[in-house]
Amino acid sequence: MVLNKQHPIARILTYLILIIWTVAVVYPLVWTLLGALKNNQQFMLDKPWALPDFPLLWSNFSYVWTKYGFGGFFTNSIIVTAGSIFVSLFLSATSSYILARFTFKVGKALYSLYLSAMMIPMILGLIPLFFLLNDLGLINNLFGLIIVYSASSLPFGIFVLVSFFKMLPRELEEAAYIDGAGYSRTFFSVMLPLAKSGLISVAIMNGLTIWNEYIMGTVFTNKPDLYTLPVGMAVMQTEMQYRTEWGPLFAGLFLSIVPVLILYIIFQKQIAEGVTAGAVK
Amino acid sequence: MSPRLKRTGFITIFLLPTFIFFCLFTLYPIVKGIQISFFDWSGRTKEMDFIGIQNFLDLFSDPIIWTAIKNDYFLVVGKVLGIMLLATIFAVSVTRLKVVGRNIFRVIFFIPNVISVVVIGVLFRFVYNPNLGFINSFLSLFTENPVQISWLGSENLAMWSLLWPSIWAGIGFYMILLIAAILSIPTELYEAADLDGATQSQQFWSLTLPLIWEQMKVSILHIVMTTLNGSFIIVWIMTEGGPDNSTQVMGSYLYQMGFRQYHMGYAAAIGVLILVLSLITTMALQKLLSKNTTELA
C-alpha cells in the first residue's frame, strides 16, 4: 500500500489517540492482576494503582479456585461450549450445504426464516424456554444448556456457512458424483473438509459467544456445581463484596480473562476473519 | 430408488433435524412469548388468566418502562456516536496512515470483545467504586479534597457510567469491520488521488468515507440491534437497574419482572415491546440511511 506524507502534528496526534486507547484497554486488565495479588489492607489504605506489597498474595488464586469452586465453573464452561459447538456445527453445516447447493422453493423460505431469527431479541423467548426445559427435565442440566446454546448459534452458523459452501468450486463435487459417491458421501468426504476454514470461523465465533454467555446460564441453572464461568463470576461478586474478599474477587476476574486472552492471541487471525465473514451482507 | 426420490430423501434428511431443533428451541419460545404477554401469569401455577391487552395497557401507564425506553435509546445513540467515531478513527489510523506497530494496536483494541460482559461489568463496578476504584483517586490528584463521586450510585451519572464500558467493549469489533472495508478499496484510487495532489484529509472525506459508508451502515444497524436486544446484561451486572430504577432498560426490567417478581405475563409484554421497538427502529434507520446513500451518489 502506498501511503503519502503526513503532517508531523497529525502524526503525533494519531499516535497519541492510539496510545491513549491502548492504555484505556490494557490498564483495567493490568489493574485486575495487581488487585488479585493484594490483601484487604492494601485495598483500603494504598492508592488503587499502587503495586502489590511483597510477598504477593498468590493464595488469592488458589482460594477462588478451590474454595469458590472456580475449577468446577471452568469444567462446566468447557463441557457446555465444546458440546454446543459440536451440535450447532453439525446441524448448521448439513442444512447450509443443502441451502447453498440445491435450489427448491422451501429452501429460500427456510434460509430467510433462519436469518430473521438473528433479528429477534432472544430475551423474548427466555420465559417460555425456561418452562420448556423445565418440562423436559433439563433445568439444572448441562445438556439443557448445550441445547439452548446450540439453537441460538444456528442462525449465525447457517448465515456464514451457506455463503461459504456457495463459494466452493462445483467441479470437485461433480467429480465425486461421477466416481460414484452418493450425496452424503460427497458431503462428508469432499465438501465438509473443503469448508474447514469456514467451519473453524463459525466454531470460534459461536464458541466465544457461548463461553461468555450469562443470561441463559443464570436462568437455567441454580446449583453452584453447574454454574458456567460467567454465572459463577456474577454470583461470586455478590458474596465476595459482602464478605469484603476483594483480592480473591480480582483473582477470579483475572482467571476468567486469561484463558480467552490466550486463545484470542492464538486465533486472532481466524477471529478477525470470523468477524468480517459474519458482517459482509 | 429413482434419482429424484434419492435427491428428495437426502435433502429431507439433511434439513429436518436442524429445522425441528430450530422450531422447538427458537421459534416456539418466541411465539409462546408473544402468547404469554396476553395472560396474567405468575409462572408458578399451571393455569393462566387471559386478560387481552391489559398487560400492554398497564405497561403504558408504568413510569418505569418509560425510563427504560429512554435509557435504551440513550445507550443506542451514545454507542452509535461513540463507537462509530472512535472505530473509524482507529480503522483509518491503522490502515491509511503511517503508523508503526499498526497490527499491535489492532490486536489490543479487540481484546475487550473477547471478554465476557459479566467480567466487564464486575471489573467496571470496581473501576467506578468511590473508594477502591482508580477513577476517583485519579481525579483527586487534581483537586484539594479527595473526589467522592458515586458514579453508579447517582441517578444523573449512572447511565453515563454504563455507557462508557459499553463503548469500551464494542469498539474492536466495528474497527475490524471498517478495517476490512478500507482494505478492500482498490489502492489505484488512492494512487490517483495522490497524483492529483489530494491531502490525507481530502482523501478521507472524498474517498475512504464514501467507500466504507455501506459497511458503516451495516455497523450502525448492528449496534442498534444488539443494544436494544442485549445491553441489559451489563446494566443488570453493574446496577441491577438502580438506583431507584434510574438505569433500568427494557431487558433488565423484563428480567426483574419475570424472574424476580414472577409477573411472567407482564415480563412477556415487555419482551414484545422490545421486539416491536427494535423492528421499528431498524426499519426506520434503514430507510433513513439508504436515503443518505442516494444523496451521496
Side-chain angles (χ1 to χ4, degrees):
Chain A
M1 200 185 340
V2 188
L3 295 168
N4 62 3
K5 275 186 198 128
Q6 205 184 333
H7 198 277
I9 292 177
R11 230 173 119 74
I12 292 169
L13 211 66
T14 310
Y15 274 110
L16 203 64
I17 293 170
L18 291 176
I19 287 166
I20 288 174
W21 194 259
T22 304
V23 174
V25 168
V26 175
Y27 183 66
L29 306 179
V30 174
W31 187 63
T32 313
L33 175 61
L34 297 183
L37 300 167
K38 289 180 182 176
N39 60 30
N40 274 353
Q41 209 186 352
Q42 290 173 263
F43 270 100
M44 307 283 264
L45 301 176
D46 295 353
K47 290 276 179 222
W49 49 78
L51 295 176
D53 290 345
F54 283 97
L56 300 173
L57 263 184
W58 293 106
S59 60
N60 283 338
F61 285 103
S62 51
Y63 181 80
V64 280
W65 189 265
T66 51
K67 210 153 189 186
Y68 270 93
F70 220 71
F73 304 160
F74 257 101
T75 317
N76 293 337
S77 273
I78 290 170
I79 293 171
V80 167
T81 309
S84 311
I85 287 178
F86 183 78
V87 174
S88 73
L89 264 191
F90 182 79
L91 291 175
S92 49
T94 44
S95 276
S96 300
Y97 176 61
I98 302 288
L99 296 176
R101 276 296 202 254
F102 295 80
T103 31
F104 53 102
K105 264 188 222 147
V106 193
K108 269 203 161 145
L110 209 53
Y111 182 64
S112 324
L113 177 72
Y114 288 145
L115 287 206
S116 59
M118 283 204 278
M119 302 265 297
I120 306 276
M122 109 3 250
I123 193 170
L124 174 62
L126 196 65
I127 293 168
L129 210 45
F130 175 83
F131 291 100
L132 177 64
L133 290 187
N134 199 31
D135 291 345
L136 296 172
L138 292 174
I139 292 292
N140 281 324
N141 187 322
L142 291 183
F143 187 64
L145 281 185
I146 290 177
I147 287 178
V148 290
Y149 287 155
S150 310
S152 67
S153 311
L154 280 181
F156 177 79
I158 289 173
F159 175 55
V160 173
L161 290 178
V162 165
S163 55
F164 207 87
F165 278 121
K166 274 189 179 157
M167 282 184 339
L168 294 179
R170 273 187 187 274
E171 288 79 21
L172 288 161
E173 209 175 0
E174 279 154 12
Y177 284 134
I178 291 165
D179 288 349
Y183 286 118
S184 51
R185 240 200 99 166
T186 308
F187 173 73
F188 284 110
S189 48
V190 180
M191 298 313 277
L192 210 53
L194 282 176
K196 204 170 119 199
S197 69
L199 294 170
I200 291 174
S201 283
V202 172
I204 291 174
M205 294 309 285
N206 280 337
L208 255 178
T209 315
I210 295 164
W211 181 269
N212 289 331
E213 205 282 337
Y214 166 70
I215 203 78
M216 296 202 238
T218 193
V219 171
F220 302 147
T221 56
N222 54 38
K223 284 192 185 143
D225 55 339
L226 293 174
Y227 288 163
T228 56
L229 207 53
V231 178
M233 193 66 237
V235 172
M236 260 174 45
Q237 81 145 342
T238 335
E239 282 178 39
M240 287 178 157
Q241 294 226 55
Y242 176 67
R243 294 160 65 171
T244 61
E245 293 174 324
W246 293 309
L249 182 47
F250 275 63
L253 280 176
F254 191 73
L255 283 177
S256 357
I257 295 171
V258 168
V260 279
L261 215 56
I262 293 171
L263 286 175
Y264 166 57
I265 289 163
I266 297 172
F267 290 111
Q268 37 131 332
K269 228 180 158 165
Q270 285 89 337
I271 290 177
E273 276 165 16
V275 169
T276 33
V280 183
K281 292 194 176 171
Chain B
M1 226 186 327
S2 76
R4 198 177 158 73
L5 203 66
K6 229 173 166 178
R7 182 175 181 265
T8 316
F10 172 69
I11 289 177
T12 316
I13 290 170
F14 263 42
L15 285 182
L16 210 56
T18 313
F19 184 66
I20 293 172
F21 202 73
F22 178 81
C23 286
L24 200 55
F25 297 104
T26 305
L27 210 54
Y28 163 78
I30 292 165
V31 175
K32 186 83 183 166
I34 297 172
Q35 191 205 349
I36 294 175
S37 72
F38 297 103
F39 286 84
D40 180 23
W41 185 41
S42 70
R44 287 167 167 164
T45 52
K46 274 279 169 210
E47 66 265 27
M48 301 159 70
D49 285 331
F50 182 78
I51 53 166
I53 57 163
Q54 192 56 46
N55 281 326
F56 294 94
L57 296 177
D58 290 347
L59 207 52
F60 286 112
S61 53
D62 182 348
I64 298 173
I65 198 69
W66 291 105
T67 313
I69 294 172
K70 200 187 77 195
N71 286 338
D72 266 308
Y73 283 93
F74 172 86
L75 288 178
V76 165
V77 174
K79 277 172 74 177
V80 166
L81 293 178
I83 290 178
M84 290 317 289
L85 182 72
L86 290 172
T88 310
I89 292 176
F90 299 155
V92 171
S93 302
V94 299
T95 49
R96 296 300 311 155
L97 304 177
K98 257 188 213 156
V99 169
V100 181
R102 45 171 81 185
N103 279 327
I104 297 169
F105 289 118
R106 195 193 314 211
V107 170
I108 290 174
F109 290 5
F110 192 78
I111 289 176
N113 291 80
V114 299
I115 303 174
S116 165
V117 184
V118 172
V119 172
I120 291 172
V122 177
L123 172 55
F124 274 86
R125 266 178 87 141
F126 278 96
V127 169
Y128 286 127
N129 187 297
N131 309 310
L132 309 172
F134 59 77
I135 302 256
N136 276 353
S137 298
F138 179 75
L139 293 176
S140 300
L141 294 176
F142 306 98
T143 55
E144 261 176 54
N145 299 316
V147 175
Q148 292 281 357
I149 300 173
S150 176
W151 293 95
L152 294 167
S154 96
E155 296 189 13
N156 301 323
L157 280 176
M159 277 315 293
W160 290 95
S161 311
L162 287 169
L163 179 61
W164 170 251
S166 312
I167 292 176
W168 184 83
I171 290 221
F173 182 83
Y174 300 99
M175 181 192 71
I176 301 256
L177 290 185
L178 294 179
I179 287 174
I182 294 173
L183 291 179
S184 70
I185 300 172
T187 46
E188 295 86 45
L189 293 177
Y190 286 104
E191 283 158 16
D194 276 338
L195 285 176
D196 291 342
T199 64
Q200 284 281 357
S201 76
Q202 280 170 334
Q203 292 187 14
F204 171 75
W205 290 108
S206 43
L207 204 62
T208 312
L209 198 59
L211 289 173
I212 62 170
W213 176 236
E214 272 308 308
Q215 189 62 68
M216 289 177 91
K217 261 168 34 184
V218 173
S219 305
I220 291 170
L221 283 168
H222 192 259
I223 295 173
V224 172
M225 227 168 64
T226 50
T227 306
L228 288 176
N229 293 353
S231 68
F232 67 95
I233 301 171
I234 196 135
V235 172
W236 190 256
I237 296 292
M238 288 181 73
T239 64
E240 293 202 8
D244 195 22
N245 287 314
S246 62
T247 59
Q248 206 74 260
V249 290
M250 291 185 282
S252 61
Y253 195 41
L254 184 159
Y255 185 78
Q256 188 186 323
M257 277 297 153
F259 295 100
R260 288 282 166 93
Q261 300 185 17
Y262 300 100
H263 296 304
M264 292 295 175
Y266 197 65
I270 300 174
V272 174
L273 184 69
I274 298 175
L275 174 67
V276 171
L277 283 180
S278 62
L279 288 181
I280 291 176
T281 311
T282 43
M283 271 170 6
L285 207 61
Q286 240 158 356
K287 218 166 176 185
L288 197 81
L289 293 172
S290 64
K291 228 180 179 174
N292 275 357
T293 316
T294 40
E295 275 164 18
L296 265 173

